[in-house]
Amino acid sequence: MSRRKPIDAKILKASQEFDAKLFAETVKGAFSDFPDYRRNQSRVLYPIWYLSLIVLCGFFCGCNTIEEIADYADLQEDWFSSLLGEKVSAPSKGTFWWFLVKTPPSALKSYIQRWFSKIPGSLKDQLLAIDGKRLKGANFLDHITHIVELFAADDRLCLASEKVLDKTVEKSTLPIILEQVDVEGAIISGDAHFTVPDSAERVVAAKADYLFAVKDNQPSLCAEMENFFDQAHAIEWNELPHSFHQEIDKGHGRIETREVRVVEDLDWLPNAGKWKNLACLIEVRSTRQKIGSTASEVSKRLYISSRRASAKDFAKWVRQHWSIENKCHWVADVIFEEDENVMDRGHSAENMSLFRRLAMNIAAVADPQRGLAGVRRAATFGTGYLKGILAIIFCNEVSKNFS
């Protein structure tokens, strides 16, 4: 039985020192340049910062839909009114609906970049996974909502999120994302969607390195690599310079052996020059065997990279690429029920997704030892916990990133 995680002392201290007036002023300042779609400001009852805060707090306290956020605002009416300094009724579902439908997503994206891109001590040598995700519930008039995100594996932070335009592909968002985040020194990993010479050139131009999967969308490169590695295995790598690393994992009733080999001698590879700064080829060969059985399953994956590193480093980076699925997309779907959400008018689907990422990032920064589900339970039921993490983000050391 797992041990219960105590509330972090810094969160308890921040909660005890919570100053509603200072907090409200800080949040106002943080959202001071947030665009307001409402034309007649003289009739505005709820400021933009106020609506944004309620949505963000709602996601922390177990809300997954706009209806639940409206109910939450009603139940917490007294506390939110205290932040405004006057007694007002809770915003209606319609108010939140128009706010999410009309607000340009670029506004929220700028806050993700401003607040969280400075938090990692350095992106140098950190793996940044880029991958796409479809918001399955958002499908208005056959216009799907598909987003591509850049995720810092070590810090568990979503650094950028960009919607894929209709009739385009995931790789079309790469130039935009690279403009939004300073990736100098990092390793950017992507699946075969991004394995094109143009993507490699753009990553290198941003002073980063790429680690791209190679599949059938690059048939010539894939065939050459498969042929080389098959022949190398046939002669047991005799007199072939390479780096080797092996990992053995036991779990889920099976034993998995992963062998990683890295080859830097590329003189034999046709058209190697079309891949900017190509430094090595990587093969990951996995053998899975059920415990108690003699049968085994072998699979292999191929990669190219502009980074010169050991097989052990590449073994780590290849596994870390899946953190965007396990620690970002899975969390969004299972904890926030993102795929079940049917908000699909205007910018609502993308904005709801961005607010979820804001909540995920804040949780990763304020309480990194607790999973998001645990953070939501603590925010919902723990006395003062929500105030504590909000104070840490908006009023304490992290707020320096808002300037």
Side-chain angles (χ1 to χ4, degrees), residues 344-402:
D344 58 7
R345 299 298 192 273
H347 303 301
S348 59
E350 193 174 359
N351 281 331
M352 289 280 277
S353 173
L354 290 167
F355 269 113
R356 294 184 194 103
R357 271 58 179 180
L358 277 174
M360 290 160 62
N361 281 1
I362 289 174
V365 171
D367 198 354
Q369 301 305 314
R370 190 182 299 271
L372 185 62
V375 168
R376 296 184 95 194
R377 284 193 296 270
T380 304
F381 305 116
T383 303
Y385 180 88
L386 178 62
K387 291 181 180 179
I389 59 175
L390 290 175
I392 287 173
I393 293 297
F394 288 99
C395 301
N396 292 354
E397 65 270 16
V398 180
S399 63
K400 66 181 181 293
N401 292 328
F402 298 168

Side-chain angles (χ1 to χ4, degrees), residues 183-218:
V183 297
E184 183 176 354
I187 303 101
I188 297 179
S189 65
D191 60 21
H193 289 288
F194 295 92
T195 311
V196 293
D198 181 67
S199 296
E201 190 165 343
R202 290 182 182 278
V203 170
V204 171
K207 299 181 180 179
D209 285 303
Y210 57 84
L211 174 60
F212 291 153
V214 177
K215 295 183 179 179
D216 290 339
N217 65 324
Q218 293 291 334

Side-chain angles (χ1 to χ4, degrees), residues 6-18 61 76 79 370 374-390:
I7 302 298
D8 194 307
K10 71 177 182 181
I11 297 177
L12 292 175
K13 181 180 179 182
S15 173
Q16 294 164 359
E17 298 175 351
F18 186 86
C61 292
Q76 298 293 331
W79 184 65
R370 190 182 299 271
V375 168
R376 296 184 95 194
R377 284 193 296 270
T380 304
F381 305 116
T383 303
Y385 180 88
L386 178 62
K387 291 181 180 179
I389 59 175
L390 290 175

Side-chain angles (χ1 to χ4, degrees), residues 277-288:
N277 288 7
L278 179 61
C280 62
L281 310 179
I282 305 102
E283 181 199 53
V284 179
R285 185 171 291 230
S286 300
T287 304
R288 299 182 182 89

Side-chain angles (χ1 to χ4, degrees), residues 14-205:
S15 173
Q16 294 164 359
E17 298 175 351
F18 186 86
D19 184 323
K21 184 177 181 181
L22 172 63
F23 173 72
E25 290 300 319
T26 306
V27 176
K28 288 179 188 177
F31 285 90
S32 60
D33 57 352
F34 199 98
D36 194 335
Y37 65 90
R38 295 167 294 189
R39 295 181 180 178
N40 191 347
Q41 293 295 306
S42 63
R43 298 180 58 187
V44 168
L45 178 60
Y46 308 109
I48 282 291
W49 69 266
Y50 185 73
L51 296 176
S52 300
L53 180 64
I54 294 176
V55 174
L56 190 58
C57 290
F59 276 126
F60 270 118
C61 292
C63 301
N64 291 327
T65 66
I66 190 171
E67 292 82 5
E68 292 171 352
I69 291 172
D71 289 342
Y72 168 76
D74 188 53
L75 293 169
Q76 298 293 331
E77 180 179 299
D78 291 341
W79 184 65
F80 284 118
S81 291
S82 71
L83 299 179
L84 278 178
E86 58 179 309
K87 179 67 176 178
V88 295
S89 60
S92 66
K93 172 191 170 184
T95 300
F96 289 115
W97 190 88
W98 280 110
F99 166 60
L100 293 166
V101 167
K102 290 289 188 179
T103 297
S106 57
L108 283 174
K109 292 175 190 175
S110 69
Y111 282 89
I112 290 178
Q113 296 149 23
R114 184 190 312 175
W115 295 353
F116 297 104
S117 63
K118 299 178 185 178
I119 288 175
S122 173
L123 293 181
K124 182 177 173 58
D125 298 327
Q126 182 169 175
L127 185 98
L128 307 182
I130 187 168
D131 195 25
K133 180 184 186 299
R134 179 179 174 181
L135 308 184
K136 294 181 180 178
N139 186 10
F140 179 57
L141 297 178
D142 294 328
H143 292 283
I144 66 172
T145 301
H146 194 98
I147 59 174
V148 172
E149 296 172 300
L150 186 69
F151 186 77
D154 289 339
D155 294 293
R156 293 187 299 151
L157 294 175
C158 178
L159 300 179
S161 180
E162 193 66 33
K163 181 181 177 181
V164 180
L165 299 178
D166 285 346
K167 298 181 180 179
T168 60
V169 291
E170 289 184 6
K171 63 186 178 184
S172 65
T173 63
L174 182 62
I176 303 171
I177 289 175
L178 292 178
E179 288 178 2
Q180 296 172 358
V181 182
D182 182 3
V183 297
E184 183 176 354
I187 303 101
I188 297 179
S189 65
D191 60 21
H193 289 288
F194 295 92
T195 311
V196 293
D198 181 67
S199 296
E201 190 165 343
R202 290 182 182 278
V203 170
V204 171

Side-chain angles (χ1 to χ4, degrees), residues 64 133-138 147 149 328-329 331-342 349 352-354 356-357:
N64 291 327
K133 180 184 186 299
R134 179 179 174 181
L135 308 184
K136 294 181 180 178
I147 59 174
E149 296 172 300
C328 183
H329 297 166
V331 169
D333 286 336
V334 176
I335 307 300
F336 286 120
E337 299 179 357
E338 184 169 72
D339 277 349
E340 304 300 318
N341 198 290
V342 294
M352 289 280 277
S353 173
L354 290 167
R356 294 184 194 103
R357 271 58 179 180

